[in-house]
Amino acid sequence: MKYALVTGGSRGIGRACCVKLAQLGYNILVNYKGNRAAAEETASLIEIHGVKTELLAFDVADKDSVREELGGWIDVNKGSLIEVLVNNAGIRQDTLLMSMTDEQWGSVLDTSLQGMYNVTKQVLNPMLLNRYGRIINMVSLSGLKGMPGQVNYSAAKAGMIGATKALAQEIAKRNITVNAIAPGFIKTDMTEELNGKELVNLIPMKRFGMAEEVAELVGFFASQQSSYITGQVVSINGGLYT
Ligand code: NAP
């Protein structure tokens, strides 16, 4: 039983990744933090493709909860293997550093960077034993170029990029690839309150991207066709200069 785990799979880019990976034939573990109704909606979209799905509620930033819920699932499902991991859960708490609270700094770093660590630690050993796997980290344009008003988010995503490159080299010989995807502006709940009219003028394609467009790239990195690509960051941003 081969599974793909998508953190933050209940909404937005994560949901589109779940559907794409289901189309590729993977059973899907949908992680979410609190929005059960959205996770159930994702599950119904996955089931259309005839694969199994399970919902796993945990906060990726909470190491104990990740160990309990995800580690518990791995212990109980010995015959199953998480072959694809998409570290997608992330939040924004935008403000200038001069007015940023410790909480705003911490929660963003804890969700993206610490969350990636917490989840990858649970999944990695079985993947190493199986000598095959795909790890895909959802980063951001902000992590490549830095964005004013997003010192916390830029730091979190840049940290994930460094970890992607280092881990890729550690485990390449076990046939496990680790790559990062850096979206620009994608139409999801996360970007809902941004001034779209103003921002599209900065984008050569004059539109926000769709979650499904990001999911196509996830599908490629998850597939065997991407077998000789590892440690890379691929931008998907409608031509924004990075
Ligand atoms: P979104 O629509 O706000 O959805 C966020 C998802 O992450 C939800 O499924 C949410 O679960 C989950 N989540 C948040 N905190 C979590 C936590 N602590 N533990 C577990 N799950 C958690 O976001 P999105 O736009 O799809 O973004 C997905 C990823 O792409 C993020 O890493 C984001 O930084 C990155 N990204 C997005 C854009 C963009 O323009 N949208 C651009 C660049 C990068 P609940 O439903 O339970 O709340």
Side-chain angles (χ1 to χ4, degrees), residues 114-171:
Q114 186 68 36
M116 177 202 66
Y117 169 80
N118 292 341
V119 173
T120 306
K121 282 285 277 183
Q122 293 297 324
V123 171
L124 191 59
N125 277 350
M127 229 182 226
L128 286 168
L129 287 172
N130 188 48
R131 293 182 168 268
Y132 181 83
R134 297 279 186 263
I135 299 173
I136 300 151
N137 294 325
M138 202 56 70
V139 296
S140 170
L141 174 67
S142 308
L144 287 167
K145 74 183 280 283
M147 285 282 203
Q150 290 195 319
V151 172
N152 48 0
Y153 186 81
S154 304
K157 298 301 192 183
M160 288 177 76
I161 290 171
T164 299
K165 293 179 179 181
L167 182 61
Q169 294 173 67
E170 285 187 10
I171 61 181

Side-chain angles (χ1 to χ4, degrees), residues 83-111:
E83 206 171 77
V84 177
L85 165 62
V86 185
N87 283 308
N88 166 77
I91 57 166
R92 285 195 306 126
Q93 291 277 323
D94 298 352
T95 185
L96 297 176
L97 186 68
M98 66 178 100
S99 49
M100 189 176 290
T101 62
D102 292 352
E103 204 281 327
Q104 286 170 322
W105 171 263
S107 61
V108 170
L109 270 287
D110 287 350
T111 305

Side-chain angles (χ1 to χ4, degrees), residues 27-43:
N27 300 304
I28 310 291
L29 293 176
V30 182
N31 157 254
Y32 66 102
K33 185 179 178 190
N35 197 335
R36 176 96 194 169
E40 280 171 356
E41 215 173 297
T42 300

